[in-house]
Amino acid sequence: MRIAVLAVQGAFAEHENMLSLLGADFFEIRQKKDLEQQFDGLILPGGESTVMGKLLQELDLFDTLQAKIKEGLPVLGTCAGLILLAEKLSNDENVYFGTLPVTVRRNAYGRQLSSFYVEEEVTGIGTIPMAFIRAPYVERAGEGTEIIARVDGNIVGVRYGNQLGISFHPEVTSCTKLHQYFLEMCRLAKNCAAR
Ligand code: GLN
């Protein structure tokens, strides 16, 4: 099983570190020819969604990745990665992949409380440390979307089929549980496809 990490901008190295700790095989997507490789899961890291969205188009990665996500490729989007997946942004006109039926507010915690750390429960995973860095949150979760985490009443984690979208950064903590959960999703999807 191989995981692709979008590595055009943002916190991709931290995700790779988590995958290494878990002994998972991965490679980076930086340019079009990287998409020729076979992969069973995709990580969209945090960073700056506007920059990543622009680079995805400029590097001609967008259409192929969007099609794969629509076909059911397991994807983990963290922070800006969640913004890339969202069907709608409440405070921004842009839509990127638009495959996850949620409305997301960018920089939802404002400037005062732009970065913070908590420990909270995620359904199916348990209590994990969560680092929020100029984070978005989910304002509306559409039909079929499972809310898997809330902090102070706000939705910070959702799952829709094989798409996992979270507001926070598990990859900057020392806890690998969320990545382990994602790898399990990828394993199950791969086994089902093989049947
Ligand atoms: N504020 C960033 C954005 O809107 C997301 C921040 C992050 O990924 N840490 O794209």
Side-chain angles (χ1 to χ4, degrees):
M1 192 174 76
R2 284 196 98 193
I3 306 300
V5 182
L6 181 68
V8 294
Q9 196 263 336
F12 53 87
E14 289 81 354
H15 280 286
E16 291 167 7
N17 184 37
M18 290 277 133
L19 295 174
S20 297
L21 287 171
L22 291 167
D25 186 16
F26 65 87
F27 69 100
E28 294 184 342
I29 296 182
R30 289 176 177 268
Q31 51 186 318
K32 180 98 176 160
K33 77 168 169 45
D34 299 327
L35 294 174
E36 290 165 14
Q37 300 186 55
Q38 185 64 29
F39 52 102
D40 310 294
L42 170 68
I43 295 181
L44 304 173
E48 200 52 47
S49 53
T50 44
V51 177
M52 273 196 271
K54 207 162 161 256
L55 287 171
L56 281 166
Q57 292 291 358
E58 281 176 15
L59 298 165
D60 196 16
L61 301 171
F62 187 88
D63 292 345
T64 307
L65 291 178
Q66 186 185 43
K68 283 180 183 286
I69 297 168
K70 282 186 179 166
E71 282 163 16
L73 174 76
V75 59
L76 165 62
T78 58
C79 206
L82 163 66
I83 295 169
L84 293 179
L85 291 173
E87 171 189 88
K88 191 172 188 306
L89 304 176
S90 59
N91 54 348
D92 192 316
E93 284 179 353
N94 289 309
V95 175
Y96 303 97
F97 292 126
T99 50
L100 183 62
V102 294
T103 302
V104 166
R105 172 165 289 268
R106 287 185 67 196
N107 301 316
Y109 294 93
R111 286 195 184 167
Q112 296 302 318
L113 192 63
S114 58
S115 299
F116 60 99
Y117 174 92
V118 294
E119 291 190 8
E120 271 296 345
E121 168 108 20
V122 181
T123 306
I125 299 180
T127 299
I128 59 168
M130 302 176 176
F132 289 81
I133 306 169
R134 293 183 304 108
Y137 60 60
V138 174
E139 285 187 336
R140 185 198 59 90
E143 207 177 312
T145 306
E146 186 191 359
I147 296 167
I148 59 169
R150 286 184 195 262
V151 168
D152 295 332
N154 297 315
I155 303 168
V156 298
V158 292
R159 178 165 176 184
Y160 177 76
N162 281 334
Q163 300 181 57
L164 196 57
I166 57 175
S167 299
F168 52 91
H169 293 264
E171 77 285 4
V172 303
T173 73
S174 57
C175 175
T176 54
K177 281 187 194 166
L178 194 128
H179 288 78
Q180 218 170 329
Y181 176 86
F182 177 62
L183 289 176
E184 191 51 36
M185 267 172 69
C186 298
R187 223 166 267 135
L188 285 172
K190 187 179 163 77
N191 290 344
C192 289
R195 275 197 206 111

